[in-house]
């Protein structure tokens, strides 16, 4: 499967509006042009209209179809989050200039959590070159950006949220593995017990979900397309190792659990990454 093409095709049919609060970044301006020309979404840019248009002109970029709004004293990120919370935009993408902690805070305090959700978590879309693994080389890794040391209940919620996100974005059946270093020698260690208890909670809440339970990585790779890591250290290191050593493409972090979609960018994000995260945000908003 070609997930990015599928997401683009879905986004083009939805006619949603995405707000980009970091209009002083040249990458955002160019990404806005691509999004508009590709008809992935309508765009709101936050900033001084004269300055934004001048920057676009200097870059040779056409953003004439974008709406440009000046922010209040709350700052561009919080102002953008309020637009999403009030239904004036369908989703928000930020992080090219903002710290992840600020994007998370704006999401939780202003956009808030969706009904029935207890916390904001995240996943990375990992596109690997080995088509025999995952879903034709596709994996979702979670949580790699938000929850530092989830307890068993939180770990189960991360797994269930990621399974739902996988269905929405891929249209395929999620197959989860909750990763552990479990072996007979450490069977009673609290870390291994946490993962086992989380797997039992997932199974209790969604018995129809294809779940490998608590497994070691080498066993999980035989069948899973979603890898749930036991904590943020493992998840963040895991996705970066996969990206750098296996030459995988990492897209994210993609947030889940919010009332309306808000997504983060890495400070070193590429223009393509901004465009793709915006398209994912559109599909999440349906």
């Amino acid at each position: 499967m070609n997930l990015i093409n599928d997401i683009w095709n879905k986004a083009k049919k939805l006619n949603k509006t995405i707000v980009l609060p970091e209009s002083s970044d040249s990458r955002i301006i160019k990404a806005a042009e691509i999004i508009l020309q590709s008809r992935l979404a309508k765009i709101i840019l936050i900033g001084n209209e004269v300055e934004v248009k001048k920057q676009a002109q200097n870059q040779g970029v056409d953003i004439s179809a974008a709406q440009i709004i000046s922010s209040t004293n709350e700052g561009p990120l919080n102002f953008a989050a309020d637009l999403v919370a009030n239904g004036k935009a369908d989703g928000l993408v930020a992080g090219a200039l903002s710290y992840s902690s600020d994007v998370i805070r704006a999401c939780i305090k202003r956009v808030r959590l969706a009904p029935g959700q207890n916390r904001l978590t995240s996943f990375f879309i990992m596109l690997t070159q080995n088509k025999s693994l995952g879903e034709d080389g596709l994996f979702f890794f979670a949580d790699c950006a938000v929850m530092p040391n989830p307890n068993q209940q939180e770990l189960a919620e991360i797994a269930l949220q990621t399974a739902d996100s996988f269905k929405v974005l891929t249209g395929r059946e999620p197959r989860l593995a909750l990763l552990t270093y479990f072996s007979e020698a450490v069977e009673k260690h609290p870390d291994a017990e946490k993962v086992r208890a989380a797997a039992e909670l997932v199974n209790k809440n969604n018995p129809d979900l294809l779940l490998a339970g608590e497994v070691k990585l080498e066993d999980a790779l035989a069948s899973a397309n979603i890898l749930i890591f036991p904590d943020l250290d493992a998840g963040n290191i895991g996705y970066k190792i996969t990206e750098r050593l296996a030459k995988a493409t990492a897209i994210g972090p993609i947030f889940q659990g919010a009332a309306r979609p808000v997504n983060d960018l890495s400070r070193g994000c590429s223009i393509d990454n901004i465009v793709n995260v915006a398209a994912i945000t559109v599909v999440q908003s349906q």
Side-chain angles (χ1 to χ4, degrees), residues 87-145:
K88 295 179 180 178
D90 298 296
L92 184 160
V93 176
L97 298 176
S98 305
Y99 290 112
S100 292
S101 57
D102 292 330
V103 179
I104 292 169
R105 190 176 301 111
C107 180
I108 292 174
K109 290 189 174 182
R110 294 174 181 270
V111 178
R112 301 189 180 276
L113 298 177
Q117 298 295 325
N118 297 314
R119 54 193 47 86
L120 189 76
T121 70
S122 74
F123 64 91
F124 272 83
I125 297 172
M126 304 299 299
L127 305 174
T128 73
Q129 297 178 18
N130 191 337
K131 304 302 181 184
S132 67
L133 299 178
E135 196 72 32
D136 297 327
L138 164 71
F139 289 91
F140 280 19
F141 284 14
D143 181 349
C144 305

Side-chain angles (χ1 to χ4, degrees), residues 51 67 69 92 106 118 131 173 188 240 262-263 280 282:
E51 293 177 359
Q67 183 180 4
I69 305 176
L92 184 160
N118 297 314
K131 304 302 181 184
E173 190 70 28
K188 298 300 182 182
K240 288 177 179 175
V262 173
N263 283 316
I280 290 166
V282 169

Side-chain angles (χ1 to χ4, degrees), residues 159-182:
L160 291 168
Q161 285 179 331
T162 309
D164 288 341
S165 293
F166 192 90
K167 289 180 184 177
V168 169
L169 293 177
T170 73
R172 304 289 184 93
E173 190 70 28
R175 303 187 302 274
L176 286 98
L178 277 69
L179 299 180
T180 183
Y181 63 95
F182 172 86

Side-chain angles (χ1 to χ4, degrees), residues 180-193:
T180 183
Y181 63 95
F182 172 86
S183 70
E184 294 299 326
V186 294
E187 184 174 359
K188 298 300 182 182
H189 192 282
D191 289 347
E193 288 295 314

